[in-house]
Amino acid sequence: MAPSLHRRTALAGIALACAAAGGRALAQPKPLEWVVGYAAGGGSDTLARATADTLGQKLGHAVIINNKPGAATNIAAEYAARSKDYGNIVFTADFATLAANPFLFSRLGYDAERDLAPVGLIARFPLVLVVGPQVPAKNWTEFLAWARSQPGGVSYASAGIGSPHHLAGELLREQAGIKATHVAYRGAAPALQDLLGGNVPWMLVDTASGNQFVQAGKLRAIGVASARRTPTLPDVPTLQEQGFKGYEAYAWQGLSVPAGTPHDVIVKLNVALVESLNSTAVKARFQALGVDALPGTPEDMARYVKAERERWGRLIRDNHIRLD
């Protein structure tokens, strides 16, 4: 006996519902977009890529790196801050975005404190003063003598305006009393290429970007800018050890999301990030890069950022450094 019209309609509805449910079960989750404000190949990009695969495994879906270099990370920061794709976008918010740019620029298309929410710190890594092959200096004393002997002063490279590389260079110029001109690049990778090519003589580079060139003998490390030596360059003394007292600088970064991201999503991202940073694979990669992982809570990141903003904000104001 043929089913009635009502029964056929009901069966058809059940079939459609089952097909829809099956489709949802088979569909892959949307990849997580990880925005980086520097070019591929630099320190921030390297750390993101070193962490992304493990983070994706913890979250259960893919992570795609989206490089948006330029304007001292402001292009990437504004893009991330304005996104409404909550839960599907994260952003490498670093020293520049969170600590320096609010003081360096009179107008920004976003407010770092209001529009970005912390997920957790990723890492802190030393900066190393390196010189290209055309510079004769082998230590801080020789570097200082060389820089002061140049009639027109010396130029130095950085990963971009407002980057830790840039402000650390300005701090060195001021405290050492040398004449130096800043040359900004769209990331550490292109800056290093010009340094290797002899187009610019020196820079302060993060260990994640520069170690490979120092270890290969293509660049000469003059000194480490942090308070202690880095394990990946154990024979390179700190600048403080060599008599440049009171000078200390390093780069750091954390993971942020648009401020409208639900709290439970932030918690989930934080748990996955901490587990990734504590994983054997990521630890090994960070160790090879000379990077100190900084796993912690969103609250830990907020406190760290506040202290850094106060420190560098004071330096920028006292020295009247403006970028617009």
Side-chain angles (χ1 to χ4, degrees), residues 129 140 172 204 222-225 237-244 247:
L129 173 60
W140 170 248
L172 185 147
L204 282 144
I222 298 298
V224 178
T238 68
L239 293 174
Q240 291 190 33
E241 283 181 74
Q242 299 180 70
F244 195 16
Y247 181 79

Side-chain angles (χ1 to χ4, degrees), residues 16-317:
L16 286 171
C18 289
R24 284 196 299 270
L26 292 172
Q28 293 298 313
K30 183 176 180 180
L32 179 70
E33 180 184 6
W34 187 334
V35 182
V36 177
Y38 297 97
S44 295
D45 176 74
T46 299
L47 291 191
R49 293 180 191 277
T51 313
D53 285 346
T54 305
L55 183 68
Q57 292 167 14
K58 303 295 181 184
L59 293 170
H61 53 93
V63 178
I64 297 175
I65 306 298
N66 183 7
N67 298 92
K68 286 186 168 293
T73 75
N74 288 328
I75 293 172
E78 184 173 349
Y79 171 82
R82 290 186 173 184
S83 175
K84 305 297 183 193
D85 197 11
Y86 303 133
N88 293 310
I89 185 170
V90 296
F91 168 56
T92 293
D94 70 348
F95 164 97
T97 310
L98 300 177
N101 289 358
F103 305 99
L104 291 169
F105 296 90
S106 57
R107 280 193 239 173
L108 292 171
Y110 66 98
D111 183 304
E113 289 188 80
R114 182 193 65 211
D115 299 333
L116 293 169
V119 172
L121 288 166
I122 299 171
R124 185 176 77 176
F125 39 98
L127 296 174
V128 182
L129 173 60
V130 296
V131 296
Q134 79 275 30
V135 178
K138 295 181 177 63
N139 55 48
W140 170 248
T141 301
E142 292 179 3
F143 174 84
L144 201 55
W146 166 79
R148 288 174 174 169
S149 70
Q150 305 304 302
V154 292
S155 58
Y156 72 95
S158 86
I161 296 173
S163 67
H165 317 70
H166 170 209
L167 291 182
E170 286 297 295
L171 187 63
L172 185 147
R173 175 195 60 77
E174 178 192 78
Q175 291 188 5
I178 62 174
K179 185 177 180 181
T181 303
H182 175 228
V183 182
Y185 291 82
R186 290 168 66 88
L192 283 163
Q193 288 307 309
D194 261 15
L195 188 64
L196 290 163
N199 297 317
V200 64
W202 65 277
M203 74 177 291
L204 282 144
V205 66
D206 58 273
T207 53
S209 302
N211 269 9
Q212 58 180 314
F213 301 107
V214 173
Q215 291 164 344
K218 295 179 178 179
L219 295 176
R220 188 181 308 115
I222 298 298
V224 178
S226 51
R228 58 184 176 85
R229 297 190 186 196
T230 172
T232 53
L233 299 172
D235 296 328
V236 179
T238 68
L239 293 174
Q240 291 190 33
E241 283 181 74
Q242 299 180 70
F244 195 16
K245 301 300 182 185
Y247 181 79
E248 183 177 3
Y250 43 79
W252 55 265
Q253 56 190 232
L255 203 63
S256 290
V257 290
T261 305
H263 178 70
D264 63 323
V265 173
I266 292 176
V267 170
K268 181 180 178 182
L269 287 169
N270 174 261
V271 169
L273 176 63
V274 170
E275 289 179 352
S276 298
L277 294 177
N278 285 326
S279 69
T280 301
V282 174
K283 277 184 174 180
R285 182 64 175 139
F286 278 25
Q287 185 176 8
L289 294 169
V291 172
D292 297 321
L294 298 173
T297 66
E299 293 74 23
D300 291 334
M301 179 174 170
R303 284 190 291 270
Y304 187 90
V305 168
K306 182 175 184 292
E308 284 289 282
R309 187 179 288 125
E310 290 173 355
R311 177 194 180 201
W312 289 101
R314 184 164 52 249
L315 171 77
I316 292 164
R317 285 193 302 267

